[in-house]
Amino acid sequence: MTTNITSDIVTSLPEHMLSEILKHAASNSIADFINVKLCCKAFERASNYENVSLDRVSLVPWRKCEKGFQKRCKAANNAEALYRKGMINCFSRRKSESGLRYLKKATEKGHVEAVYTYGIILICLDGELRKQGLRVLSSLHLPKPNEGSSRMIASCRSKTEKFLRCMWVHVALTGPKGICCNCDCDIEEKPNHSTSKECQTWDASNDVGHCCDYCFWDREANVFCSLLRKYLVN
């Protein structure tokens, strides 16, 4: 009787509320998500892998249940799952074209770290792709100087390094050649003591008020390339 009453209550809830409950369950653990999803048909119908959180799933999953969960999320065009697949394909599996497609998809869904990674990769390729990369990165809308932008950049760097630590990095990038923009750039390079000597970089919290977008992202691309070299498997 209790089970039937509970099922009736769940069935009476609007689908968007059921989806929110499933998202909350996924943020706790995959097991919670699956258990809630299987408890009644209403949750099964409301399950949407596109918007669930992958925070409880390893960046590079090894357990079968995590692999299966992340695969379903990717199939549903979950932005975080697309970003993770793009990172793996680009820098570990040497499938750069495939990796860029996944990162582009995640970028189009507004995934911040994907925008950061995809844009920087394009900047490093020079030519028209460099211009395209700058347009992609401009979608982050980072006003300078701005503490919020510094936090966003620091968060992207942190996520990138955390990801690289979890996988075999077989691909590195060469930093952009840069251009002569005569912007009177006032950024001074400072060592970042939290990383190795190879990865000494300008401080993301620096005042970049007199720095054009080209100089700003050229320097950030070099930070990214330094992180890749730091974890590159020889």
Side-chain angles (χ1 to χ4, degrees), residues 59-91:
L59 289 171
V60 182
W62 298 104
R63 292 190 298 166
K64 186 176 180 179
C65 64
E66 288 191 338
K67 285 183 178 181
F69 182 77
Q70 187 159 295
K71 187 175 182 179
R72 290 188 183 91
C73 290
K74 177 173 66 68
N77 286 324
N78 179 291
E80 174 68 14
L82 293 171
Y83 163 72
R84 294 182 181 195
K85 183 67 173 177
M87 288 287 287
I88 292 290
N89 282 8
C90 276
F91 302 117

Side-chain angles (χ1 to χ4, degrees), residues 36-37 54 87-88 119 134-135 142 148 157 182 201 219 230 232:
V36 172
K37 182 183 169 206
L54 274 74
M87 288 287 287
I88 292 290
L134 189 63
R135 288 195 295 271
L142 301 180
R157 289 186 188 181
N182 298 316
T201 60
R219 284 162 172 76
K230 178 181 177 182
L232 186 66

Side-chain angles (χ1 to χ4, degrees), residues 165-217:
R165 284 200 304 264
C166 295
M167 67 180 183
W168 297 101
V169 179
H170 295 296
V171 177
L173 292 173
T174 301
K177 297 175 183 177
I179 60 172
C180 182
C181 61
N182 298 316
C183 71
D184 192 26
C185 173
D186 65 355
I187 293 179
E188 295 180 5
E189 294 196 0
K190 293 183 179 181
N192 184 341
H193 298 294
S194 64
T195 62
S196 67
K197 191 171 183 179
E198 165 67 22
C199 204
Q200 287 183 347
T201 60
W202 65 295
D203 190 339
S205 64
N206 255 350
D207 178 2
V208 290
H210 296 93
C211 176
C212 72
D213 282 350
Y214 278 111
C215 288
F216 182 90
W217 289 114

